[in-house]
Amino acid sequence: MQKKLHIKKGDTVAVIAGDSKGQQGKVLSIDKEKGRALVEGVNLASKHTKPSAATPQGGIVKKESSIHISNLMLVVGGKLTRVGRKLDNDKLVRYAKKTGEVIK
């Protein structure tokens, strides 16, 4: 059984530890097995590319690299918050612990 995560694809998150600390971005994808997420504009790595039809010049391209989920925190209403789960009409929903509002 895979562990439930506190973030999902499409959430806005902030980095709370590491080289990209303080940056915010949208979650593009999640790897549940490795516990890592790809966040837009965060943890950029330089990738050297050969010239191709798509990039005739080649060169160095900045690309997002995955970051561990424990280093991310959800942003709701501009504030960092922990995530809880509660039953709402017989359905388990995520909610922001700081404000109490349900996260869609």
Side-chain angles (χ1 to χ4, degrees):
M1 189 174 112
Q2 287 183 344
K3 187 179 164 197
K4 286 214 178 213
L5 304 174
H6 63 282
I7 59 171
K8 288 184 178 179
K9 182 179 172 182
D11 285 347
T12 303
V13 294
V15 181
I16 57 171
D19 291 339
S20 302
K21 183 177 180 176
Q23 293 182 5
Q24 289 189 6
K26 189 175 168 187
V27 177
L28 301 174
S29 68
I30 290 182
D31 184 357
K32 280 191 171 183
E33 283 84 42
K34 293 181 181 172
R36 297 180 78 82
L38 201 65
V39 183
E40 189 176 41
V42 173
N43 201 25
L44 295 175
S46 298
K47 183 171 170 56
H48 297 262
T49 56
K50 282 185 171 180
S52 66
T55 56
Q57 187 65 36
I60 301 169
V61 177
K62 292 276 187 184
K63 190 178 177 192
E64 287 107 357
S65 180
S66 68
I67 187 167
H68 199 269
I69 285 176
S70 66
N71 296 331
L72 300 174
M73 200 168 199
L74 193 69
V75 176
V76 177
K79 291 185 176 181
L80 298 179
T81 182
R82 296 195 313 274
V83 178
R85 288 186 180 82
K86 64 181 176 182
L87 280 173
D88 188 39
N89 299 331
D90 295 331
K91 190 168 188 201
L92 197 63
V93 294
R94 296 184 306 157
Y95 73 98
K97 292 235 179 169
K98 199 166 258 186
T99 60
E101 66 180 280
V102 174
I103 303 162
K104 289 166 181 67

